Amino acid sequence: MENWQALLSVIVFISVIFLIMTEWVHLTIAALLGALILVFTNVMTLQEAVAYIGNSHGTLGLFFGVMVLVRAFEPTKIFDYLATQIVILAKGDGKRLLLGIVGIVTPICAVLPNATTVMLLAPLIPPMAQEIGINFVPLLILMVLIANSAGLLTLVGDPATFIVGDAINISFIDYLGRLSLGGVIAIVTVTATLPFLFRKIWHTKLENLEELPHPQINHPRVLSLGAVIVAFVLLFFVIGESLPIPISPAAVALLGAALALLLSHQSKIDTVNNILRDVDWSTLIFFMSIFVLIGGLEKTGVINSLSGVLAAILGKNIILGSLVLLFLVGILSSVVPNIPLVVAMVPLLKQYLVTVGLAPTEVLAQDFSGQFPPEVLPLFYAMMFGATLGGNGTLVGASSNIVAAGISEQHGRRISFKTFLHYGVPVTILQLVTSALYVLVRFLI
């Protein structure tokens, strides 16, 4: 590949990240323009760009399906009703409300991908915060910090974790035994920061709960049928891929969305046009564009050349390599969405292991189903922790962050890059340090 194309890919990628960080341009516009520059300068053809988007069809299908599913049931007022019930259960106490969000999000994220959990639960937050009279943006940020951290509890909790786990052929049970404790430590770390980072909400108390509005559920019969659809979707999220004919989470979400559209149309509670118009297209286009930008770095050989740099710096030192990788991927994951980052980093790490002679060349095969040498596994574990927890650092670090930002904007408040940094940076630093200690003590000493 010509040097100018590699250089251009790097410049465009860094420029897009810079524009997002400074907020000079809306993040979707910045990413879309960057992707189109690569096409118009012939770094890649439009067909190749669409192919890179297609490689991530699972992520995009999952997001679109859940967005439609959630939006289809808005006319029933179920989200307003549930939000009020949560406030009543918390007895108007900000401390209980924050701990309640931790308690609700954590177990759900153990079985559902974190961005899916945020899509399902985030619509509850704005009306709930409104009833207590507080800003809902910090609550949404807390939700994504917990969702990203809880993604480490199981193999399926975070797409980045699953991608790395799949690459090293680790089983669901093996993951629980080796790595789930790291997820618990990550959640405890966030919880410990609540009285400091969320001080104002922590000390909020709502005295008169009788003054709360008590929204009534509309269309109860439609909602009961909707509950069956949601239960079907959740069930197949968990068991779908283990069936004799595997069904991916994306296919399940899209079928759920289609059934929800059918139910809304037939019951006349809303029109198909209204539902599809309100889908968060901005977030979907942002992800498509980011996948193209990462594809540009991959096609021009930038990612491959980085594996040589890794080999030169780290040599065969597994302890140093694991710690460097954890912090390096953690920092990168703060500015690059962790799904495309991990997709790019897995082959890079495999190539590094082969280059320095720590793994046989067979591991480079796409269909490799064997086991890696046990001594190199801490490198992959470190990458899991770095990618998942580094996503808490900035607004663009993880898919759930972008989803929450889109929902926030739909409810009239924008989560700025700077606002997210205020919460994300201290949490990420603490989590990377505690996870480094965990990897060191559990696997390296």
Side-chain angles (χ1 to χ4, degrees):
M1 187 55 61
E2 293 182 39
N3 285 341
W4 73 266
Q5 291 185 316
L7 183 62
L8 181 64
S9 296
V10 172
I11 290 170
V12 169
F13 185 80
I14 292 172
S15 300
V16 168
I17 297 300
F18 176 76
L19 287 173
I20 292 170
M21 289 174 70
T22 55
E23 297 181 321
W24 288 352
V25 180
H26 190 282
L27 55 86
T28 302
I29 298 171
L32 182 58
L33 284 175
L36 290 171
I37 286 170
L38 296 186
V39 172
F40 276 85
T41 53
N42 207 34
V43 170
M44 66 174 72
T45 64
L46 185 59
Q47 188 176 355
E48 287 171 328
V50 172
Y52 281 116
I53 295 169
N55 290 341
S56 303
H57 63 276
T59 304
L60 296 168
L62 180 68
F63 286 0
F64 175 75
V66 175
M67 284 174 183
V68 171
L69 195 62
V70 170
R71 170 58 184 84
F73 297 118
E74 265 185 22
T76 65
K77 297 287 183 189
I78 182 63
F79 300 115
D80 294 346
Y81 176 80
L82 290 174
T84 304
Q85 297 310 307
I86 292 170
V87 174
I88 291 170
L89 284 172
K91 298 182 177 173
D93 188 332
K95 184 190 306 181
R96 290 186 184 186
L97 188 61
L98 291 171
L99 293 171
I101 290 173
V102 174
I104 291 167
V105 174
T106 299
I108 296 175
C109 273
V111 292
L112 293 183
N114 47 19
T116 308
T117 304
V118 170
M119 277 184 227
L120 290 170
L121 297 183
L124 305 179
I125 298 290
M128 181 169 68
Q130 196 173 1
E131 286 165 7
I132 302 183
I134 56 176
N135 182 2
F136 63 75
V137 166
L139 295 179
L140 281 176
I141 292 174
L142 172 62
M143 177 177 281
V144 298
L145 294 178
I146 293 294
N148 293 336
S149 306
L152 283 168
L153 289 173
T154 67
L155 185 60
V156 297
D158 186 288
T161 306
F162 181 78
I163 291 164
V164 180
D166 189 48
I168 58 174
N169 303 313
I170 190 171
S171 72
F172 193 93
I173 301 299
D174 282 344
Y175 185 96
L176 290 178
R178 294 182 207 169
L179 296 161
S180 288
L181 180 58
V184 173
I185 292 168
I187 293 161
V188 170
T189 304
V190 181
T191 307
T193 67
L194 294 180
F196 311 103
L197 286 179
F198 300 86
R199 190 181 300 111
K200 189 175 178 183
I201 298 174
W202 186 264
H203 295 294
T204 297
K205 278 187 171 53
L206 188 65
E207 299 298 334
N208 195 352
L209 291 175
E210 284 72 35
E211 291 179 3
L212 282 177
H214 291 277
Q216 297 299 308
I217 290 177
N218 298 334
H219 317 291
R221 188 176 295 176
V222 174
L223 187 60
S224 60
L225 288 172
V228 173
I229 294 173
V230 171
F232 156 81
V233 169
L234 294 178
L235 174 65
F236 280 86
F237 273 160
V238 177
I239 68 166
E241 292 190 293
S242 60
L243 294 173
I245 300 175
I247 306 171
S248 70
V252 174
L254 289 169
L255 179 57
L259 292 173
L261 284 172
L262 176 66
L263 181 60
S264 295
H265 176 71
Q266 293 301 111
S267 61
K268 295 185 170 51
I269 64 167
D270 210 340
T271 66
V272 172
N273 285 343
N274 280 347
I275 294 168
L276 294 180
R277 185 190 62 206
D278 291 341
V279 165
D280 188 2
W281 294 107
S282 173
T283 298
L284 293 173
I285 292 168
F286 173 79
F287 277 116
M288 291 180 201
S289 304
I290 284 291
F291 291 136
V292 173
L293 291 169
I294 295 288
L297 296 177
E298 189 181 313
K299 187 192 171 191
T300 55
V302 173
I303 287 168
N304 242 352
S305 62
L306 288 175
S307 68
V309 176
L310 265 186
I313 295 171
L314 303 177
K316 292 187 176 184
N317 191 329
I318 299 289
I319 294 177
L320 175 64
S322 297
L323 296 178
V324 167
L325 204 58
L326 193 149
F327 285 101
L328 175 67
V329 172
I331 292 165
L332 285 174
S333 185
S334 291
V335 292
V336 181
N338 58 9
I339 296 172
L341 175 67
V342 166
V343 168
M345 285 294 294
V346 165
L348 188 157
L349 183 53
K350 285 182 179 179
Q351 184 66 58
Y352 154 70
L353 292 172
V354 172
T355 303
V356 297
L358 287 171
T361 52
E362 292 82 53
V363 303
L364 296 176
Q366 289 287 337
D367 57 351
F368 176 69
S369 57
Q371 294 299 309
F372 279 74
E375 62 271 17
V376 307
L377 290 176
L379 292 164
F380 289 95
Y381 300 156
M383 184 159 71
M384 273 186 193
F385 282 101
T388 306
L389 299 177
N392 278 334
T394 71
L395 186 60
V396 296
S399 49
S400 49
N401 306 11
I402 305 295
V403 168
I407 290 168
S408 182
E409 204 162 337
Q410 286 180 329
H411 284 85
R413 280 183 186 265
R414 199 168 60 87
I415 300 178
S416 71
F417 201 91
K418 186 178 174 184
T419 301
F420 197 98
L421 282 181
H422 171 74
Y423 298 94
V425 168
V427 166
T428 302
I429 291 170
L430 287 170
Q431 287 185 320
L432 290 178
V433 170
T434 53
S435 61
L437 290 172
Y438 175 71
V439 170
L440 194 63
V441 172
R442 176 73 173 81
F443 302 109
L444 299 170
I445 295 178

